[in-house]
Amino acid sequence: MKHFLEVGDLTKSEIEYVLQLSSYLGETHEDALHQTNVLFCFEKPSLRTKVGTEVAINQLGGRVIHIDPMAFLGGKIMHAKPIPGHDERESLKDTVLNVSKWCDAIFTRVFSHSTLLALCKYSEIPIINALSDLHHPMQALADFRTIQQEYGVEKIPITFIGDANNVAKSLIEMGIMLGYPMGFCGPNAYGWSKEQVNHFKTLSYKYQGSFQYYDNAHNAALNSMVIYADTFVSMGEEGQYDEKMEAFNGFQINSRLMSLTPDEASFMHCLPAHRGVEVTNEVIDSNKSLVYQQAENRMIVSKGLFTFLIKEKGTLKTIEKTTIYN
Ligand code: CP
Ligand code: NVA
């Protein structure tokens, strides 16, 4: 059994396989998830991840059950009269072992990545990360499907401009593993730790990709074929709004910055976007913008990922008659 909490939970071959399987299932609409039940539990809001994945599971003949985090993640639901020393409804261990008897996977978005690790400790079924504070690996799958649709096999330079956070980390990790030159640019106060940069460098030695830190957005734009953005203030960080707005001044993706990129360059964003903050309307609505294609691909890659983890039990198979570029 395989979980998918972060990009590194899949090998390079498995990532390529999931992308290929997604294309295949996107075309054939076969009932790959027939008789499959997936528990969805979201501690934070979601549009693309929740709806896109539910549609994918439905299209493949599976079913989704939504549970409130208060009833699942050791929620602080009180008994009619609290029992001293027992402020949780039940232990996470009991909850997860119960769910493991009925469902085939748990798909969950959590504030703290440690919650996912705790689930994995007990779970008898795959745990799939729908975003945590540290990682957003499903987003990266959709992003590289989008990039391959646009640029084929060419390993074009991709730079994330903004906050060193979940989306950026998964994007950079997957890019390096797939052999892309990855860049990052953002204010030092919200950049990567030394340990994280070392991790990107270690990945780069192992795979054919690379990692470069740009000290200003101008240089990043001159050297990148894809400019990628995310919100400056992530879910759960609302209290840091004022200081982050100040720190990220100068890192907005606007027409002036995009004009420095090559003619064939693209703009990407995981969404939700804050128009006028990290990106201007002109850029997100321009013909360089791939944001809706990325969103569509969130649905398609869910098909490959869930089929691989649930039905194929995380083992590579041969797929006939398919290409990853359609
Ligand atoms: N990109 C993304 O994960 O979007 P949602 O928060 O709407 O799921
Ligand atoms: N970094 C953002 C991504 C949203 C999809 C957040 O965590 O809120």
Side-chain angles (χ1 to χ4, degrees):
M1 181 184 63
K2 218 177 223 317
H3 302 297
F4 189 50
L5 306 196
E6 57 179 286
V7 168
D9 288 337
L10 298 185
T11 63
K12 179 180 180 175
S13 307
E14 287 168 347
I15 292 168
E16 288 169 346
Y17 175 76
V18 167
L19 291 174
Q20 213 181 0
L21 182 61
S22 301
S23 290
Y24 173 77
L25 293 171
E27 279 169 27
T28 59
H29 299 291
E30 66 182 43
D31 266 3
L33 292 175
H34 182 62
Q35 297 286 350
T36 296
N37 290 292
V38 180
L39 189 75
F40 275 38
C41 180
F42 282 64
E43 285 189 312
K44 307 182 196 181
S46 170
L47 175 74
R48 283 144 288 271
T49 311
K50 194 189 270 181
V51 180
T53 307
E54 179 157 357
V55 168
I57 292 170
N58 287 342
Q59 286 189 0
L60 296 184
R63 288 194 204 95
V64 167
I65 298 143
H66 291 270
I67 191 160
D68 191 306
M70 289 298 281
F72 178 61
L73 298 172
K76 303 265 184 263
I77 288 192
M78 293 296 165
H79 300 264
K81 191 167 181 199
I83 300 169
H86 292 81
D87 61 351
E88 291 180 345
R89 186 165 188 268
E90 66 182 355
S91 71
L92 196 61
K93 178 179 178 180
D94 289 342
T95 313
V96 175
L97 284 174
N98 276 247
V99 171
S100 295
K101 301 293 175 219
W102 309 311
C103 294
D104 301 284
I106 296 169
F107 185 48
T108 184
R109 172 169 286 195
V110 295
F111 280 103
S112 170
H113 197 77
S114 61
T115 305
L116 296 173
L117 298 173
L119 288 171
C120 289
K121 192 167 161 202
Y122 304 116
S123 183
E124 295 171 345
I125 54 178
I127 305 294
I128 301 160
N129 183 1
L131 180 144
S132 70
D133 54 339
L134 302 185
H135 299 274
H136 198 5
M138 281 189 72
Q139 178 70 49
L141 281 172
D143 295 337
F144 280 97
R145 176 174 160 83
T146 307
I147 289 164
Q148 291 176 349
Q149 284 174 323
E150 285 303 300
Y151 298 100
V153 293
E154 202 187 335
K155 302 298 180 193
I156 43 100
I158 301 163
T159 298
F160 184 100
I161 298 183
D163 192 17
N165 199 1
N166 44 16
V167 170
K169 191 188 293 164
S170 294
L171 181 86
I172 293 169
E173 288 178 343
M174 193 172 287
I176 294 172
M177 286 178 75
L178 294 177
Y180 289 83
M182 301 300 298
F184 176 83
C185 180
N188 286 338
Y190 295 97
W192 301 110
S193 65
K194 269 201 186 116
E195 292 73 30
Q196 190 60 50
V197 173
N198 285 341
H199 168 64
F200 293 150
K201 298 271 180 206
T202 307
L203 274 184
S204 303
Y205 290 128
K206 190 166 173 198
Y207 301 94
Q208 282 81 46
S210 61
F211 176 69
Q212 173 162 8
Y213 224 122
Y214 288 102
D215 55 9
N216 66 71
H218 183 105
N219 280 346
L222 286 174
N223 290 291
S224 305
M225 191 60 88
V226 171
I227 298 290
Y228 197 114
D230 181 13
T231 179
F232 295 147
V233 183
S234 287
M235 291 179 273
E237 295 181 344
E238 291 76 10
Q240 299 173 41
Y241 181 85
D242 290 338
E243 65 208 57
K244 285 195 111 176
M245 282 301 120
E246 202 179 320
F248 283 92
N249 188 13
F251 292 94
Q252 184 190 63
I253 316 299
N254 51 38
S255 301
R256 199 158 26 90
L257 192 74
M258 286 306 287
S259 72
L260 302 171
T261 61
D263 288 346
E264 316 76 40
S266 300
F267 169 75
M268 296 178 73
H269 193 307
C270 54
L271 303 183
H274 301 91
R275 289 166 172 260
V277 183
E278 72 271 11
V279 60
T280 58
N281 284 331
E282 266 182 320
V283 170
I284 201 169
D285 294 329
S286 73
N287 58 10
K288 286 184 176 294
S289 173
L290 302 178
V291 298
Y292 302 121
Q293 195 174 327
Q294 287 173 265
E296 182 178 11
N297 282 331
R298 295 301 312 275
M299 193 271 274
I300 309 280
V301 299
S302 304
K303 292 186 172 183
L305 180 70
F306 279 70
T307 302
F308 175 63
L309 295 176
I310 299 172
K311 284 290 186 190
E312 300 184 353
K313 312 276 182 216
T315 54
L316 298 177
K317 302 226 158 104
T318 305
I319 307 166
E320 284 162 20
K321 282 198 231 155
T322 188
T323 155
I324 57 173
Y325 305 123
N326 47 29

